[in-house]
Amino acid sequence: MKVSRRQFLRVSALAGAGVLAAACAKTAEPTSAPEEKPTSPAQPEQATATPVPVAEPVAKEAPKWVEMVQAGDLPPLEERLPDAPMVVPVVERIGTYGGTWRNAVVGKGQSGQWVHSIGYEQIMRWTPKWDGVMPNLAESVEVNEEGTEYTFRFRKGIKHSDGVPFTADDIMFWYEDVLMNKELTPNVPSTFRRGSDPVQIERLDDFTTKWTFTKPHGLFLKLMCQALTDESWRHPKHYMSQFHDAYNPDIESVVKESGQASWADLYDYKRIDFQDSAIPVLKGWQLQNALGEGVRIVSERNPYYWKTDPEGNQLPYIDSNVCDYFTETEALVLRAMNGEIDWQERFLSAPENKSVYFQNQEKGDYRVVDIIPTMTNVLNLQFNRFTTDEVLAEIFSNKDFRIGMSHALDRQEIIDLVYVGQGEPHQSAPRPDSRFYHERLSKQYTEHDVDLANEYLDKVGLTERDAQGFRLRPDGKRLAVIWEVDVDEPTYADVLEVATPMWEKVGVETIIKTMERSLWEERCRGRNLEFNASCHRYGGGSGEAVILDPRYYLPTSGGSSMYAKAWAWWWANPDDEQAVDPPEQVQAAFGYYDELLETPDTGKQDELYWQILDIAAEQFYCLGIAPEAPGYAIVTNRMKNTPPTIHQSWIYPTPAPYNPCQWFIEET
């Protein structure tokens, strides 16, 4: 068995507040005010008349801001905080100011790292323990009984990082000039429409907006909690209007100077804070340089952040977040083992390294924290049925081909070699611990049987072979599948390297083509359809993630459902020029999901979802390997207030809902 270079290089051979439990609840209450401190015990009577020194008042903000306020360079704290700041419970104790949160990524295109760590500030958010939703930028939300009207009341006095107030006008700018602008938003995302009818947003006053849908939107508040789903707060009108043709009469000269092709391209580039670090933010930290510049990206504390701890201290406690770029995972693993990564699970938590991390905890002065897995599978293998190679497209669309390729896989060998024996053969399906566990979808075609694999591949009509034993396509060419893979996810290529001789044993040549993350995003997750096949490991495997992210059970994502992106585009917009009408059974599944989205009745939602899973089992869209084993994060002992355990998910997104703004550094 060939061992990959990556394998060789391995180091080893909420307490919550303001929960909104259901979408049809009348009102989510505002976050509670800071608790009153206990009264100090009475002091004994002084024996002499010696004056008692009066203690200096404890600063409620970072020392740097105290100095700037005293110098007249920053408004006082009471002018920077909203009237009713959001109070964030602390995990262990009230923290202290200072320090740098050290983390890292493999590759320069990993924008998700900032969403997971410091970029999660939306109208609504998940509770830390992922047992409900709660207001965030909103102070409260009121929902009508039908689930068609959502009224958000925002915290009065929230300011962007440049001191300019955040108001309903920012939401209306996003709605009227971005979401409803065809040049910027050709297709309104499904979160913000019912059928083809987009949401209607009305400004009620400076801090209140009402969002109205033509039909019930049963999952709306949960969808608004997903990472990057709610874009409404990310468009500060006072800054972004300079890049919009409706506001800037000199926009053409600005576009020309920028080098972008159009004002819409310029706006799309500027709207993302990790590309334009000058954009004012509502986050705890603000990036100081754009993604990909230099050898690291640095974020500094926002002086106008609108959250406090229970004693009224402005958050965040930590001064800065520094993220270094690595070209290979092994160097990042070594840095973590040296105790130089303060909290991180992405890129570090390969199963084969866990025992070594545990053995090195005392020496590295860190601890290993359990992660609760929620993803569909360790790897979801997807053949692109709409590849521009028409011959391959027809082959990949044949269910018998996918069944044959599945039976050819010795999943247990892959599990043993790549995942150190953790897991059992399992297709792309909800996890065994999910209420949606589907026996047929999970276990069908997982038996390793070379004869059966050959039988199914023969049924496709691929009976002719060349001199080397490889099957021939109907056009006489060798049947070869090129797998395009994100190089920053090393286990993906490891799995394919182990699978290669298995597939070649049944006559299918396998070529692995790794590429830098941004190129992979463009080729496999963008509008391109040239690629043959690719793989990814996310998607909803348990909890609410199953309903919210069905990408492998129904092609709802034009980026992640790589096995049938043209069907996903059809669901988003049947008039899309790249959309393809799905077959009747798949259209029925989309109909069930549309119906699910329209009902606030959770029991009815579950009934509809089971019908979707039944169709997914019949369609057999893509191949899985095994359910993901419990993961882990590396946390230095100097990092405090971190969670004792946490869910792992993009939807969640780990660890942001556990409020890193209340984490703090304590040097020993």
Side-chain angles (χ1 to χ4, degrees):
M1 174 61 61
K2 178 182 177 182
V3 178
S4 73
R5 181 177 62 87
R6 292 179 178 81
Q7 290 172 307
F8 178 77
L9 290 174
R10 295 284 183 217
V11 176
S12 75
L14 201 176
V19 175
L20 184 67
C24 59
K26 286 294 185 182
T27 305
E29 296 298 328
T31 309
S32 59
E35 296 178 1
E36 185 176 339
K37 293 184 182 179
T39 305
S40 300
Q43 296 295 319
E45 195 171 313
Q46 296 295 320
T48 68
T50 305
V52 179
V54 178
E56 290 291 328
V58 178
K60 295 291 186 179
E61 59 188 313
K64 178 180 179 180
W65 305 148
V66 173
E67 295 175 3
M68 292 182 67
V69 170
Q70 292 174 346
D73 297 328
L74 190 69
L77 179 61
E78 59 269 21
E79 296 179 16
R80 305 198 313 270
L81 289 175
D83 294 359
M86 183 172 182
V87 179
V88 178
V90 295
V91 172
E92 302 170 48
R93 63 185 187 274
I94 300 299
T96 56
Y97 292 111
T100 297
W101 173 2
R102 302 165 299 176
N103 59 127
V105 295
V106 178
K108 290 191 173 185
Q110 293 288 352
S111 58
Q113 182 74 2
W114 290 273
V115 177
H116 282 257
S117 56
I118 64 175
Y120 183 65
E121 295 293 354
Q122 306 184 165
I123 292 178
M124 302 292 294
R125 66 184 288 122
W126 297 113
T127 56
K129 293 183 179 180
W130 208 4
D131 53 6
V133 306
M134 61 188 293
N136 191 49
L137 283 166
E139 191 168 27
S140 67
V141 57
E142 185 175 326
V143 187
N144 70 350
E145 291 184 1
E146 295 78 16
T148 57
E149 293 181 358
Y150 297 80
T151 301
F152 296 104
R153 294 182 175 85
F154 299 100
R155 301 172 191 277
K156 184 178 180 181
I158 290 179
K159 295 179 175 64
H160 293 93
S161 54
D162 59 358
V164 176
F166 167 75
T167 71
D169 291 336
D170 294 298
I171 300 296
M172 297 309 297
F173 171 74
W174 163 77
Y175 171 63
E176 295 172 345
D177 297 302
V178 180
L179 188 69
M180 294 291 100
N181 186 297
K182 288 294 185 181
E183 291 186 75
L184 293 177
T185 313
N187 302 307
V188 174
S190 59
T191 299
F192 303 113
R193 58 178 168 82
R194 293 291 76 217
S196 59
D197 299 328
V199 63
Q200 294 182 351
I201 302 180
E202 179 184 359
R203 182 188 189 279
L204 301 185
D205 59 42
D206 286 349
F207 302 101
T208 310
T209 58
K210 183 170 74 172
W211 303 44
T212 303
F213 295 93
T214 55
K215 298 178 181 178
H217 200 340
L219 296 181
F220 180 57
L221 292 182
K222 291 178 181 179
L223 289 167
M224 290 287 278
C225 292
Q226 289 192 112
L228 297 183
T229 297
D230 173 19
E231 289 280 329
S232 63
W233 58 280
R234 298 167 62 91
H235 299 258
K237 180 178 180 179
H238 69 283
Y239 181 81
M240 292 305 300
S241 57
Q242 66 181 305
F243 308 116
H244 200 295
D245 74 336
Y247 292 85
N248 189 345
D250 298 322
I251 190 65
E252 292 303 324
S253 60
V254 176
V255 171
K256 184 177 181 180
E257 184 177 347
S258 72
Q260 297 288 335
S262 68
W263 76 267
D265 290 337
L266 174 61
Y267 190 97
D268 278 337
Y269 180 83
K270 290 290 186 178
R271 72 197 293 180
I272 303 174
D273 59 355
F274 49 78
Q275 293 179 167
D276 177 16
S277 57
I279 186 173
V281 299
L282 297 168
K283 306 171 187 177
W285 296 268
Q286 181 170 20
L287 272 67
Q288 302 300 298
N289 57 299
L291 181 69
E293 292 180 357
V295 297
R296 62 171 42 168
I297 190 164
V298 178
S299 304
E300 299 288 350
R301 182 195 286 110
N302 172 8
Y304 290 90
Y305 195 52
W306 41 280
K307 298 182 182 181
T308 71
D309 67 20
E311 294 188 1
N313 301 298
Q314 186 189 30
L315 299 172
Y317 294 131
I318 296 174
D319 288 341
S320 58
N321 179 295
V322 171
C323 188
D324 290 324
Y325 298 123
F326 284 86
T327 57
E328 293 194 357
T329 305
E330 287 74 21
L332 175 53
V333 169
L334 291 175
R335 177 169 288 194
M337 292 178 63
N338 287 334
E340 298 172 4
I341 298 294
D342 289 306
W343 199 106
Q344 189 161 326
E345 52 86 22
R346 299 186 81 219
F347 309 103
L348 292 177
S349 56
E352 65 269 29
N353 292 336
K354 190 172 185 178
S355 61
V356 177
Y357 281 130
F358 265 108
Q359 295 167 11
N360 193 65
Q361 286 181 94
E362 184 176 352
K363 180 180 179 182
D365 197 25
Y366 61 81
R367 57 195 183 276
V368 179
V369 174
D370 289 336
I371 297 290
I372 304 168
T374 63
M375 290 185 288
T376 303
N377 206 279
V378 291
L379 196 60
N380 301 279
L381 301 159
Q382 304 177 68
F383 297 96
N384 177 16
R385 68 179 65 214
F386 295 109
T387 179
T388 52
D389 184 325
E390 295 181 0
V391 176
L392 281 182
E394 184 174 353
I395 292 171
F396 295 162
S397 296
N398 192 315
K399 179 180 173 181
D400 287 335
F401 173 79
R402 300 192 297 278
I403 294 174
M405 294 295 278
S406 184
H407 279 304
L409 291 174
D410 186 340
R411 287 174 172 80
Q412 193 57 56
E413 182 176 340
I414 295 171
I415 292 167
D416 291 342
L417 288 175
V418 181
Y419 301 105
V420 293
Q422 297 187 65
E424 61 180 29
H426 197 270
Q427 296 288 14
S428 299
R431 294 175 55 82
D433 57 0
S434 167
R435 71 181 188 273
F436 291 111
Y437 177 69
H438 192 287
E439 181 76 21
R440 178 188 173 194
L441 180 58
S442 302
K443 292 299 184 179
Q444 64 182 356
Y445 318 128
T446 55
E447 177 188 5
H448 173 53
D449 189 324
V450 174
D451 291 338
L452 194 56
N454 278 317
E455 180 181 327
Y456 272 101
L457 293 174
D458 287 346
K459 286 169 64 176
V460 180
L462 303 170
T463 55
E464 299 297 321
R465 301 200 182 212
D466 64 16
Q468 285 74 44
F470 288 107
R471 295 176 184 271
L472 298 178
R473 305 172 359 158
D475 59 2
K477 297 179 181 178
R478 175 183 290 186
L479 176 57
V481 179
I482 301 173
W483 289 85
E484 300 193 16
V485 184
D486 177 7
V487 73
D488 297 336
E489 297 282 1
T491 58
Y492 295 5
D494 290 348
V495 169
L496 290 169
E497 286 173 356
V498 177
T500 294
M502 300 173 186
W503 282 328
E504 295 191 341
K505 190 173 183 179
V506 296
V508 180
E509 185 178 17
T510 301
I511 301 167
I512 306 168
K513 186 177 181 181
T514 59
M515 59 191 65
E516 195 271 331
R517 176 62 178 256
S518 61
L519 178 59
W520 175 78
E521 290 276 358
E522 177 185 340
R523 285 193 54 79
C524 298
R525 299 185 77 183
R527 301 290 292 193
N528 171 62
L529 288 172
E530 292 178 1
F531 70 99
N532 293 177
S534 191
C535 49
H536 209 209
R537 67 185 180 96
Y538 295 94
S542 63
E544 294 303 322
V546 178
I547 284 183
L548 293 173
D549 188 0
R551 65 177 78 172
Y552 302 121
Y553 324 135
L554 184 65
T556 53
S557 171
S560 296
S561 301
M562 293 179 279
Y563 58 92
K565 291 198 293 183
W567 290 348
W569 294 331
W570 173 88
W571 181 61
N573 177 17
D575 295 327
D576 188 315
E577 61 181 13
Q578 287 185 274
V580 174
D581 292 1
E584 183 177 342
Q585 190 181 53
V586 178
Q587 290 195 34
F590 277 124
Y592 294 139
Y593 196 63
D594 287 336
E595 187 177 350
L596 182 157
L597 292 172
E598 292 179 4
T599 176
D601 183 333
T602 56
K604 180 65 173 177
Q605 290 175 357
D606 286 6
E607 291 176 12
L608 291 164
Y609 206 81
W610 275 104
Q611 295 183 73
I612 293 170
L613 293 175
D614 287 342
I615 292 174
E618 183 63 31
Q619 288 289 319
F620 188 45
Y621 296 118
C622 49
L623 286 58
I625 301 296
E628 190 167 48
Y632 58 93
I634 305 301
V635 189
T636 58
N637 291 325
R638 73 184 199 129
M639 182 71 93
K640 306 298 181 182
N641 277 354
T642 58
T645 186
I646 193 171
H647 289 87
Q648 201 289 326
S649 177
W650 168 257
I651 289 175
Y652 180 62
T654 315
Y658 234 101
N659 297 307
C661 63
Q662 55 86 42
W663 297 3
F664 68 96
I665 303 292
E666 185 176 77
E667 300 289 0
T668 57

